[in-house]
Amino acid sequence: MAASFTTSWRCAFLALLALFVSGAYGQLSPTFYASTCPNLTTIVRDAMVTALNPAVGGERRMGASLLRLHFHDCFVEGCDGSVLLDNVPANGSTPAFFGEKNAFGNINSVRGFEVIDTIKAAVEQACPGVVSCADILTLAARDGTFLLGGPTWAVPLGRRDSTTASMDLANRDLPPPFANLVTNPPDGSDLIARFQRKGLSATEMTVLSGAHTIGSAQCQNYRLRLYNENRIDFQFAQGLKANCPQNGPAGDTFLAPLDSTGSTFDNKYYTDLTGLRGLLHSDQVLYPQNNQTQAKIVLKYKGDNTAFFADFAAAMIKMGNLSPLTGTAGQIRTNCRLVNPA
Ligand code: HEM
Ligand SMILES: *[C@@H]1O[C@H](CO)[C@@H](O)[C@H](O)[C@H]1NC(C)=O
Ligand SMILES: *[C@@H]1O[C@H](CO)[C@@H](O)[C@H](O)[C@H]1NC(C)=O
Ligand SMILES: *[C@@H]1O[C@H](CO)[C@@H](O)[C@H](O)[C@H]1NC(C)=O
């Protein structure tokens, strides 16, 4: 009696689990808003063209910034718009809320929130209460990639927005620029392990790092590499040292492009790695001296831009599918920065 009860309970549990897993990963679709917001992709694309156009107050770098923002959304609680939530100060009996914007990888670094606000306002005007902030951010990341010369792809849609965000999870899950490829003994802090925990292989990690073909980083994130490392091109290091002195805070926020063609999405990033001109420590370790399996991934993308574009698009879709909220989970935020009032 007890045994059969346990067995049927276990069957029910497994059925529920299967339902949950398929629900969590199976419901996203590029046509999710086809009838409820047919102009969505056009609205986002037009707004991104404006945001990247210097002639109307935009900047090309914004394409890179939104790509990074989507990555930081997806790696913390899944792609649920959690990174967009503002901090809320304590008020009476309501405790202060510290969102992901305070985390090490985000504070004074991630950008593009105003662009998401602008796109959200345009989308709300066309289709009120229908499209999530998480989906808008995913589309903006795709368009930023494409508008800077990269590949395009059909974005699976149907994510809903979180009602929570976690600074602690962001501090745990966002990779720091001083991370190594592997750690021995393994302690989970290295790049391969961090992406493996999100279901992404070493090859996918290497192709997603190709996002560093666009955008910039601050001196405080590459200073140690300039002054402490020897797997770095001498001229390259000399050039950067001029504006990034050894001792901060002088120069801390000085920006350098992440690859030699920082406003164009191409495979030059991998050429730079083979020339020991990776800007971040976490970039250069992708091309190790002592691991041919890993080095070959870099050489492949260096020699084959078509493969880089195709694999980047596929890996972006996979990263974009990280534990989305679907069905009745979460909500469609009205304001991307705030949970809807109860
Ligand atoms: C592999 C581990 C990674 C590490 C350690 C890392 C770290 C960093 C750091 C430190 C910066 C500079 C931030 C600053 O100085 O303010 C940066 C910029 C950037 N990252 Fe990553 N990143 C990683 C992977 C990725 C991935 C997977 C993507 C997207 C698919 C991405 C996209 C970007 C972009 C586009 C920028 C430039 C942003 C801008 O100019 O506003 N990164 N990253
Ligand atoms: C879609 O946008 C076009 C102009 O860009 C507009 O004429 C049309 O009415 C819009 N359709 C919907 C359903 O909003
Ligand atoms: C506290 O919350 C109330 C109601 O939301 C608001 O009117 C008031 O301005 C808030 N006070 C502070 C100090 O934020
Ligand atoms: C070498 O690189 C491969 C591919 O990234 C990786 O799976 C493996 O763990 C690495 N081994 C060492 C010892 O670094």
Side-chain angles (χ1 to χ4, degrees), residues 38-39 42 126:
N39 277 358
T42 313

Short mmCIF file of all heavy atoms in Angstrom, two decimals, residues 38-39 42 126, ligand 2:
data_model
loop_
_atom_site.label_atom_id
_atom_site.label_comp_id
_atom_site.label_asym_id
_atom_site.label_seq_id
_atom_site.Cartn_x
_atom_site.Cartn_y
_atom_site.Cartn_z
N PRO A 38 1.49 43.07 -33.79
CA PRO A 38 2.11 42.73 -35.08
C PRO A 38 3.29 43.64 -35.46
O PRO A 38 4.19 43.21 -36.17
CB PRO A 38 0.97 42.85 -36.09
CG PRO A 38 -0.10 43.64 -35.41
CD PRO A 38 0.06 43.39 -33.95
N ASN A 39 3.30 44.87 -34.98
CA ASN A 39 4.37 45.80 -35.35
C ASN A 39 5.55 45.78 -34.39
O ASN A 39 6.47 46.58 -34.54
CB ASN A 39 3.84 47.24 -35.41
CG ASN A 39 3.17 47.53 -36.75
OD1 ASN A 39 3.14 46.69 -37.63
ND2 ASN A 39 2.64 48.74 -36.87
N THR A 42 9.16 45.87 -35.75
CA THR A 42 9.44 47.13 -36.46
C THR A 42 9.64 48.27 -35.48
O THR A 42 10.53 49.11 -35.66
CB THR A 42 8.26 47.46 -37.40
OG1 THR A 42 7.93 46.30 -38.13
CG2 THR A 42 8.62 48.59 -38.36
N ALA A 126 1.46 51.26 -28.87
CA ALA A 126 0.91 50.44 -29.95
C ALA A 126 0.10 49.26 -29.41
O ALA A 126 -0.95 48.91 -29.96
CB ALA A 126 2.03 49.94 -30.86
C1 LIG B 2 1.96 49.27 -37.90
O1 LIG B 2 2.76 50.39 -38.26
C2 LIG B 2 2.33 51.05 -39.43
C3 LIG B 2 3.31 52.16 -39.72
O2 LIG B 2 4.61 51.82 -39.37
C4 LIG B 2 0.93 51.59 -39.23
O3 LIG B 2 0.48 52.17 -40.44
C5 LIG B 2 -0.01 50.47 -38.83
O4 LIG B 2 -1.26 51.00 -38.49
C6 LIG B 2 0.54 49.71 -37.63
N1 LIG B 2 -0.31 48.56 -37.36
C7 LIG B 2 -0.74 48.27 -36.14
C8 LIG B 2 -1.61 47.06 -36.02
O5 LIG B 2 -0.45 48.92 -35.16
#
